[in-house]
Amino acid sequence: MVPVTWYMALSAAVFAIGVFGFVTRRNVIIMFMSVELMLNAVNINLVAMSHYLEDIRGQIMVFFIKAVAAAEAAIGLAIIIALFRNKPTAHIDEIKEMGG
Amino acid sequence: MLVELFFFYFAAAVIGLSLMVITRKNPVHSVLWMLLLFFHIAGLYLMLNAEMMAAIQLIVYAGAILVLFLFVVLLLDLKKEIGEEQYVGVWPTGVAVAVALFTLLLIMTRSFVAGPHGNITIERVRELSHPGVVGRAMFTEYLFPFEVASLVLLVAVIGAIILAKKRIKE
């Protein structure tokens, strides 16, 4: 029997990798994929908890996270396309029109 | 013993593949590594007796979201960017932040105390099948959030079309 803390450690590792990718990559698409990675880390944690606590609510939560992730991917990629049309680059540090 | 072996295989694969996803220079390679990553995460869900979650992982993530990513990567012309530096200048700070976060979360898992158990035991899942158990909870207790989720998807569809379509000149 695999203890639940192992799943939590795995989830923490994937989440940290996602954070690393999000803050260090310059390509906006890879940054977006890092966000998906973090969402997946949370999903692993929720399914593991749901299994070990013998409760289905964690998996219902995962279902809704997946629905929101799909919506977020559609909107985010549309924003990337709109951005690319105004300035043909995928590098995030060349987009500085708002003075950020 | 065999279960631990499987867990270690999937854990090692998931961590290695996540690293591959965020370190590749070419976004197409990243997307393809991520496809493999999602298959391994689905394997982890199967180990946790969540068959329906594994199926949704493959259908929604691997089947829909990754294809969307691939379409956008192909739509944008990224030939110039591939030759350039892929990390920001302050990437050691990013490494420090990620390692600190991981250590913090790892310390927190040690003080984990399990809450009260629910009534969905493995025997009940076997009796009703996993989609049956999920569906029963979803369409009774969580019916309203389910309807709200459909509204979220509708807003996303409309928003994506409005954001991505060409401006029509007056």
Side-chain angles (χ1 to χ4, degrees):
Chain A
M1 193 70 175
V2 184
V4 66
T5 45
W6 290 9
Y7 282 101
M8 289 160 80
L10 171 66
S11 162
V14 177
F15 193 89
I17 292 169
V19 169
F20 169 71
F22 187 75
V23 296
T24 58
R25 287 303 298 254
R26 296 171 71 213
N27 191 323
V28 65
I29 295 168
I30 309 250
M31 285 173 75
F32 212 62
M33 285 165 69
S34 304
V35 175
E36 298 290 333
L37 215 58
M38 287 191 261
L39 285 168
N40 270 290
V42 174
N43 282 352
I44 292 173
N45 214 345
L46 280 170
V47 173
M49 291 287 185
S50 167
H51 173 67
Y52 281 94
L53 294 179
E54 300 176 328
D55 201 323
I56 204 70
R57 280 178 222 161
Q59 290 173 29
I60 305 283
M61 192 87 95
V62 169
F63 186 84
F64 289 128
I65 289 174
K66 277 175 182 162
V68 172
E72 176 239 341
I75 295 279
L77 292 171
I79 290 175
I80 291 173
I81 289 174
L83 211 60
F84 197 80
R85 194 176 292 138
N86 292 326
K87 202 175 170 83
T89 177
H91 275 176
I92 209 74
D93 40 6
E94 280 163 36
I95 300 162
K96 45 184 188 267
E97 273 70 26
M98 289 175 86
Chain B
M1 188 57 220
L2 199 63
V3 180
E4 275 92 347
L5 212 64
F6 270 103
F7 176 80
F8 279 124
Y9 164 67
F10 280 118
V14 164
I15 290 173
L17 289 169
S18 322
L19 283 171
M20 289 301 265
V21 167
I22 61 156
T23 52
R24 290 308 92 190
K25 218 162 201 174
N26 192 335
V28 179
H29 297 172
S30 271
V31 172
L32 293 179
W33 283 113
M34 203 169 201
L35 179 65
L36 208 52
L37 171 71
F38 285 160
F39 272 93
H40 280 88
I41 290 177
L44 272 179
Y45 291 167
L46 285 180
M47 277 180 63
L48 291 164
N49 292 311
E51 297 96 19
M52 192 176 156
M53 291 301 130
I56 294 177
Q57 176 81 15
L58 292 185
I59 294 166
V60 174
Y61 266 116
I65 294 181
L66 278 187
V67 172
L68 204 63
F69 269 102
L70 215 48
F71 266 128
V72 171
V73 172
L74 297 180
L75 215 58
L76 310 183
D77 184 25
L78 299 174
K79 274 203 199 85
K80 189 167 67 70
E81 266 95 357
I82 287 172
E84 291 176 8
E85 177 59 38
Q86 52 178 335
Y87 297 107
V88 292
V90 291
W91 64 268
T93 319
V95 176
V97 167
V99 170
L101 183 71
F102 175 59
T103 321
L104 198 69
L105 290 172
L106 213 57
I107 293 167
M108 276 163 70
T109 59
R110 290 178 59 199
S111 59
F112 169 70
V113 181
H117 282 233
N119 54 0
I120 312 290
T121 55
I122 188 73
E123 285 77 32
R124 189 155 166 76
V125 174
R126 281 213 187 101
E127 183 195 329
L128 293 172
S129 83
H130 186 258
V133 171
V134 173
R136 259 160 237 256
M138 184 108 63
F139 295 120
T140 55
E141 207 178 337
Y142 293 93
L143 186 61
F144 183 63
F146 183 76
E147 299 291 341
V148 173
S150 70
L151 203 65
V152 167
L153 289 172
L154 178 70
V155 170
V157 168
I158 297 170
I161 292 170
I162 289 174
L163 279 170
K165 81 173 170 45
K166 267 207 169 77
R167 297 262 186 284
I168 299 161
K169 292 198 184 77
E170 283 93 28

